[in-house]
Amino acid sequence: MHPRNNSRRQHFFALLIYVVLSCNLSKAQQADPQPPPDAPKPNTPEPKSFFARWADFYRQDWSPPSPSPTAAPAPARRGLASPLDSPPFPNSDWSYGGSPVIGEPDGNSYPLMTAINQARSRTKLYGWLDPTLNFSTSSNSNAPEANDVYSNRFELNQFVLYAERLPDSVQQDHIDWGYHLTALYGTDYRYTTGKGYWSGQLLNDHRQYGFDPTLEYVDLYIPQIAQGMNLRLGRFISVPGIEAQLAPNNYIFSHSLLYAIDPFTDTGLIATVKLNDQWLVQLGITAGHDVAPWAPDAKPSGTACVSYTTTSVNDNLYLCANGINDAKYAYNNLQQYDATWYHKFSKTVHMATESWYMYERDVPAIGGTIKPEPGTNGASCLPGEQRCTAPEYAVVNFLQKELSVHNFLSFRSDFLDDKKGQRTGYATKYSENTIMWCHWWGSTVQLRPELRFERAWDEKAYDNGRKQNQMTAASDLIFHF
């Protein structure tokens, strides 16, 4: 063999060995080094417990991080813009009853659901505790003031648990559904009690504390009708009005005289139709006010409402005829005609005004031979009358000033004329004025101290008929969970 050929072979094999070794070394350098068998494994955080996740929600809510410049956009909304900030106000939209706000997404998150499943489900469990304290010039009773009817007390007005699924009314492609269940315990059960719904604890036993299944209904959202229709079947809050029975839904802790004596809940079917962004109509049939369909006082009763909002969203008018039937006396068989007007003066100032006229026919006379039903009052009829028609009318105005995202002031003026005394027990005119400051910690705790003065003009109607005037200083603290 020629020496040159042998030399070439040697150079070739040397080059081949060099390439193979270089590739293996490169692969070894790219591979992750294997830790020694006795090296400690990297620490991985264990999943947080239910209570730790719950506590984290409050910690972040009360001390939120600085807002990110790339914060996620607000959920989609169909319709006019919301006129109000919530918080600090109870609602961001001009409210109407008997339906969720059609076109508004469910963007709410709650501490309890975050702790349960990181708020990933459409069914949500949430609620609040509402302890209260009041100091009054009356020593026996604050009635007809609500919801602090017991004088000079610290008490639990509401412990409420909701189970809720809202229908998706933003989309217009398919039928959707929802439901709502409420469990309420506290002194405020007296303002939600309906005859036939465990009502004996109030009407017969006169308990200070009680339980009431305040709301139980299903919603069916049908987008193909106009711009969306919601059907609600079950027990729901009586549709008209600014105020509601559940504490967080109100501007002020105590309630107006107008609210204290009007209907609380109805059971039946109501349809809410969004005709367009400005007009909304409602038609319903119920068993009457504050009675279960199986109660002996139940009567088929009609409800009809119309709502109009201006394109600027600065004004809303909501008119309702509620619980309309033959008007003959039965448990809370009130014939109610209600008008509510909301007006926004500026970004931070708005007002809400409500008035109603109500009556019942054939109400038993006080001192007559016909005994009124338990839990109701007789009427101051003319001498010799065994029954008479008992009318009353009222008007209330709320004026609000937003101070910041966590604070607002509210001033309420209220007038009631209980012409025959059938609603309050005293045939007199009343006036009431209240000023309140609401402060939020995050979005989960509210403090609402207030100062209130009221007067009965025609006779002594306060402190169980001992006084004409009454002043209260009171507050509640709502802790949301």
Side-chain angles (χ1 to χ4, degrees):
M1 183 179 291
H2 197 281
R4 181 177 295 175
N5 291 338
N6 187 45
S7 175
R8 287 177 178 173
R9 288 191 188 95
Q10 290 175 352
H11 281 93
F12 173 78
F13 284 118
L15 179 63
L16 180 61
I17 292 170
Y18 172 77
V19 170
V20 171
L21 290 174
S22 298
C23 290
N24 288 337
L25 179 61
S26 175
K27 289 180 180 178
Q29 290 174 341
Q30 293 175 4
D32 292 333
Q34 296 295 322
D38 57 347
K41 295 182 180 180
N43 291 327
T44 56
E46 295 185 3
K48 291 186 176 181
S49 68
F50 169 86
F51 292 103
R53 293 193 299 270
W54 204 351
D56 279 349
F57 188 103
Y58 290 107
R59 188 178 301 112
Q60 295 171 16
D61 185 61
W62 297 336
S63 301
S66 300
S68 170
T70 58
R77 177 186 173 90
R78 180 167 60 86
L80 299 172
S82 296
L84 305 175
D85 296 326
S86 178
F89 297 120
N91 303 298
S92 57
D93 294 281
W94 307 130
S95 60
Y96 52 85
S99 169
V101 177
I102 296 176
E104 182 179 60
D106 180 13
N108 295 316
S109 61
Y110 304 100
L112 181 58
M113 284 310 299
T114 301
I116 292 173
N117 65 4
Q118 299 296 333
R120 287 191 292 262
S121 62
R122 287 184 63 185
T123 289
K124 300 181 180 183
L125 300 177
Y126 64 101
W128 59 87
L129 285 165
D130 186 30
T132 70
L133 175 67
N134 82 85
F135 300 98
S136 174
T137 56
S138 296
S139 57
N140 297 281
S141 172
N142 290 338
E145 182 174 335
N147 283 11
D148 48 353
V149 66
Y150 298 103
S151 303
N152 303 299
R153 298 281 185 92
F154 176 78
E155 56 197 11
L156 177 63
N157 280 42
Q158 296 184 9
F159 174 30
V160 172
L161 178 64
Y162 278 174
E164 178 182 77
R165 183 187 195 270
L166 293 179
D168 181 359
S169 63
V170 177
Q171 56 82 26
Q172 294 182 283
D173 300 325
H174 61 273
I175 294 173
D176 202 8
W177 59 276
Y179 69 89
H180 185 104
L181 303 172
T182 297
L184 181 152
Y185 176 81
T187 59
D188 282 358
Y189 88 102
R190 67 186 299 115
Y191 299 109
T192 63
T193 292
K195 190 172 183 179
Y197 292 107
W198 294 339
S199 53
Q201 56 189 325
L202 176 66
L203 302 182
N204 300 328
D205 300 332
H206 310 292
R207 294 178 183 171
Q208 178 180 350
Y209 284 88
F211 170 82
D212 186 54
T214 310
L215 306 173
E216 288 82 33
Y217 57 77
V218 293
D219 283 326
L220 184 65
Y221 168 69
I222 306 173
Q224 292 82 7
I225 297 178
Q227 290 194 10
M229 178 178 76
N230 189 81
L231 292 175
R232 177 164 292 179
L233 176 64
R235 188 184 183 201
F236 46 83
I237 296 293
S238 180
V239 250
I242 299 168
E243 300 165 88
Q245 283 71 10
L246 291 311
N249 298 338
N250 299 282
Y251 291 117
I252 296 178
F253 152 52
S254 73
H255 283 284
S256 67
L257 297 166
L258 172 146
Y259 158 91
I261 64 170
D262 69 7
F264 296 138
T265 65
D266 296 332
T267 304
L269 174 68
I270 187 167
T272 302
V273 181
K274 182 178 181 179
L275 300 178
N276 53 46
D277 286 348
Q278 294 178 261
W279 288 94
L280 178 140
V281 296
Q282 297 177 300
L283 288 173
I285 185 167
T286 69
H289 299 310
D290 302 316
V291 292
W294 50 85
D297 294 79
K299 296 184 177 185
S301 307
T303 296
C305 302
V306 59
S307 174
Y308 171 75
T309 304
T310 59
T311 54
S312 66
V313 204
N314 287 339
D315 291 274
N316 171 267
L317 187 63
Y318 186 38
L319 306 176
C320 282
N322 189 30
I324 307 305
N325 53 44
D326 61 10
K328 289 186 178 180
Y329 175 74
Y331 184 81
N332 278 2
N333 190 35
L334 299 164
Q335 310 300 291
Q336 182 185 25
Y337 298 90
D338 191 283
T340 304
W341 173 40
Y342 297 96
H343 177 68
K344 184 178 177 181
F345 294 97
S346 68
K347 178 177 174 56
T348 61
V349 179
H350 74 276
M351 75 173 188
T353 303
E354 180 184 358
S355 62
W356 53 238
Y357 174 74
M358 303 190 306
Y359 71 94
E360 283 186 80
R361 294 170 48 205
D362 299 336
V363 178
I366 295 174
T369 59
I370 304 170
K371 187 177 180 181
E373 289 202 28
T376 69
N377 299 309
S380 296
C381 302
L382 294 174
E385 288 186 324
Q386 289 296 313
R387 294 179 180 270
C388 63
T389 297
E392 49 276 331
Y393 67 88
V395 60
V396 64
N397 176 265
F398 292 81
L399 180 64
Q400 282 66 238
K401 166 64 177 177
E402 180 176 352
L403 303 177
S404 71
V405 69
H406 294 294
N407 297 275
F408 77 91
L409 295 175
S410 182
F411 178 75
R412 180 178 64 208
S413 297
D414 187 17
F415 179 83
L416 163 68
D417 188 357
D418 189 4
K419 299 184 77 67
K420 297 293 180 69
Q422 197 270 329
R423 301 305 295 164
T424 66
Y426 300 91
T428 182
K429 295 182 283 292
Y430 299 85
S431 64
E432 171 259 324
N433 291 280
T434 301
I435 187 167
M436 182 232 57
W437 166 56
C438 175
H439 175 70
W440 287 82
W441 285 272
S443 61
T444 51
V445 180
Q446 292 173 262
L447 179 69
R448 301 188 295 183
E450 66 175 56
L451 186 64
R452 171 174 175 147
F453 176 78
E454 49 201 307
R455 177 175 175 80
W457 291 91
D458 303 313
E459 62 175 302
K460 294 179 179 179
Y462 287 98
D463 207 13
N464 291 340
R466 293 173 174 85
K467 297 178 180 178
Q468 272 191 279
N469 301 324
Q470 179 174 275
M471 178 172 283
T472 53
S475 182
D476 71 341
L477 179 73
I478 306 175
F479 186 88
H480 299 258
F481 60 81

